Amino acid sequence: MKKERADDGVFHISAERKDLLQQLASDEGTPIFVIDHEKIRQNYQEFRSYMPTIQVYYAVKANSNPAIVKTLFDMGCSFDVASLPEFMIVHEYIRDMPDEERLDWIWDKIIYANTIKPIETLQVLDQYKPLVTFDNREELRKIQQHAPNAGLVLRLRVPNTGSMVELSSKFGADPGEAVDLIAEAFERDLVVEGLSFHVGSQCNNFDNYIQALQLSANIISEAETRLDRKIRILDIGGGFPVRYHPRVKSLKTLAKKLNTEIKRLFPPDMQILAEPGRFLVANACTLVSKVIGKAFRDGKPSYYINDGVYHTYSGQVFDHNTYPVLAFSEGEPQISAVFGPTCDSFDTITLSALLPDLAIGDLVYSENIGAYSIASSTYFNGFPPAKVVHINR
Ligand SMILES: *Cc1c(COP(=O)(O)O)cnc(C)c1O
């Protein structure tokens, strides 16, 4: 029997679960993208348990599968949406509420956290009166004209040093102009409810959060003094790291720092929001695909599988992440190349997987692949995205 891997904090699927995945692949065909809803519930509860005073808004863009939204909805989660279609995925579950209750729910539980919104979207959003973020003057003018009933949250530009995905080059108002922007919003008869920031996705440099909190505290206090208006929301964004490998620090460590700093810097009645995306879904999903071709190239076994970087492995491009390709079978590991199914040599998943000798038809899998993966899958070469399969127990 193979030795159990040491517990390095990285999530690995169990032997029992591997059997189930192979069964599902034989029932459903491949590639399949398997979502474990119980794991999502556990992740949500873990986040809540470390930071009980923070309201959790799932960033739908990490994985917008409606069944994921439903699972989190049933847990009482709130939502960060980045587009009108994402807003509508969430809205589907509250459609039948009486109007007033529905609008209250939206106000309390949805934030439209894309600072740039098409005018057509603002016009539709206005009837729902949600919280929306902004970070520039042009956007303020648009909101005043097309969604004056929305509540505003100013997104700040904060350091993203050491995060896997950098966001500060595209989003966030410079701290030096923040109070002026808040003032201008009030002059336009809009209401600024809060501040937000994003330290960059998969943030393993916790100082980013500490600096952003300090910056926010300074701006809130300056705005409240200068404008005599109360800022009651602080949205600390996403970035909460997933343990893809043992070097990633735990959420518990981060939570301790955040709780201490928040308590030190803000009054107890400040509402603190967070927008975890990756953290809630990454380790809840596994991809199972199949070897469809095999060759010996550049001195090593080379496998062609039926999913690749234009599909579920797209996170290797857009998310700057890597997903080890693993075999269900055992055997002497050899350094191997793994390619996707399309006619582009860019569709290379890895040139250095450690895999036993595999045959055409053998299954392989990648774990911790729930975030920013199937969400950016294409139909390139006519291959559709992987079929989604749910495990709900
Ligand atoms: C993408 C995004 C998130 C989610 O980030 P994660 O790093 O996946 O937690 C949260 N808020 C905003 C505004 C985003 O753009």
Side-chain angles (χ1 to χ4, degrees):
M1 222 178 107
K2 213 161 122 184
K3 257 197 307 191
E4 282 292 315
R5 269 181 276 196
D7 183 13
D8 51 12
V10 178
F11 176 75
H12 298 295
I13 54 177
S14 66
E16 200 182 27
R17 187 41 64 89
K18 281 184 209 171
D19 292 342
L20 176 59
L21 289 171
Q22 291 174 92
Q23 185 59 48
L24 289 171
S26 100
D27 294 347
E28 306 280 348
T30 55
I32 47 171
F33 182 84
V34 183
I35 303 177
D36 177 349
H37 290 264
E38 185 54 28
K39 192 77 193 154
I40 294 172
R41 286 188 280 268
Q42 283 171 16
N43 291 340
Y44 177 75
Q45 270 162 340
E46 185 184 352
F47 196 99
R48 293 276 303 145
S49 73
Y50 294 145
M51 292 169 273
T53 59
I54 298 183
Q55 188 174 347
V56 180
Y57 289 65
Y58 170 55
V60 175
K61 78 169 188 287
N63 191 324
S64 61
N65 187 285
I68 292 179
V69 171
K70 179 67 163 71
T71 290
L72 288 166
F73 176 87
D74 289 342
M75 296 292 287
C77 191
S78 303
F79 298 93
D80 155 1
V81 299
S83 65
L84 193 55
E86 284 190 2
F87 180 90
M88 288 304 170
I89 291 171
V90 179
H91 188 265
E92 189 57 27
Y93 299 113
I94 56 166
R95 214 183 42 182
D96 297 331
M97 280 182 187
D99 278 357
E100 202 176 326
E101 199 182 317
R102 190 166 48 94
L103 290 180
D104 284 349
W105 195 96
I106 290 169
W107 181 255
D108 184 39
K109 288 185 168 292
I110 296 184
I111 183 164
Y112 190 109
N114 189 337
T115 57
I116 306 297
K117 295 158 285 298
I119 284 173
E120 296 79 358
T121 294
L122 286 170
Q123 287 166 341
V124 178
L125 282 180
D126 195 48
Q127 61 185 297
Y128 299 103
K129 310 181 178 56
L131 278 178
V132 303
T133 62
F134 77 104
D135 63 7
N136 68 78
R137 286 206 158 73
E138 286 293 334
E139 194 71 14
L140 265 187
R141 285 191 203 116
K142 275 159 57 190
I143 296 171
Q144 182 189 23
Q145 234 188 324
H146 302 288
N149 291 303
L152 272 60
V153 171
L154 175 68
R155 167 101 169 247
L156 284 180
R157 181 177 192 170
V158 299
N160 277 206
T161 322
S163 295
M164 190 165 78
V165 183
E166 192 276 338
L167 299 166
S168 61
S169 59
K170 184 170 173 187
F171 297 112
D174 277 325
E177 56 179 21
V179 180
D180 287 344
L181 275 169
I182 296 171
E184 181 169 340
F186 282 120
E187 280 157 23
R188 289 177 180 275
D189 278 331
L190 298 167
V191 179
V192 178
E193 303 280 354
L195 282 193
S196 76
F197 58 75
H198 197 305
V199 295
S201 197
Q202 183 68 6
C203 172
N204 202 31
N205 172 14
F206 297 165
D207 280 347
N208 285 349
Y209 284 100
I210 306 304
Q211 288 180 44
L213 288 173
Q214 183 68 62
L215 205 58
S216 305
N218 295 345
I219 289 164
I220 289 172
S221 108
E222 193 189 326
E224 288 187 342
T225 312
R226 200 175 110 190
L227 308 172
D228 196 25
R229 304 292 292 243
K230 181 111 180 93
I231 305 287
R232 39 172 216 100
I233 292 174
L234 176 68
D235 175 355
I236 66 172
F240 306 93
V242 169
R243 298 190 100 172
Y244 294 110
H245 50 75
R247 292 181 305 281
V248 179
K249 288 174 269 181
S250 73
L251 183 71
K252 195 174 177 181
T253 310
L254 172 58
K256 266 194 204 144
K257 284 187 200 246
L258 286 174
N259 290 335
T260 309
E261 283 300 290
I262 288 170
K263 202 165 168 196
R264 185 173 74 83
L265 292 168
F266 302 98
D269 64 346
M270 178 67 83
Q271 296 178 41
I272 313 288
L273 281 46
E275 303 166 340
R278 178 191 303 285
F279 184 84
L280 296 180
V281 293
N283 64 10
C285 307
T286 312
L287 174 74
V288 183
S289 53
K290 188 170 73 177
V291 176
I292 56 168
K294 179 177 178 180
F296 199 82
R297 302 179 69 83
D298 295 325
K300 58 192 162 198
S302 299
Y303 300 105
Y304 300 79
I305 66 174
N306 58 1
D307 201 317
V309 302
Y310 284 94
H311 297 86
T312 315
Y313 290 94
S314 58
Q316 298 208 159
V317 181
F318 300 117
D319 198 34
H320 315 287
N321 206 355
T322 53
Y323 300 98
V325 179
L326 306 168
F328 289 102
S329 57
E330 291 179 19
E332 191 58 38
Q334 292 166 274
I335 293 180
S336 312
V338 184
F339 299 111
T342 68
C343 289
D344 184 354
S345 61
F346 183 74
D347 196 359
T348 299
I349 299 163
T350 175
L351 295 173
S352 57
L354 272 177
L355 288 169
D357 187 43
L358 297 174
I360 306 285
D362 281 357
L363 299 175
V364 291
Y365 68 99
S366 290
E367 49 196 7
N368 298 317
I369 197 165
Y372 308 113
S373 54
I374 201 162
S376 45
S377 188
T378 71
Y379 282 79
F380 186 51
N381 270 215
F383 296 115
K387 177 174 183 187
V388 177
V389 177
H390 302 277
I391 302 176
N392 215 332
R393 65 191 127 85

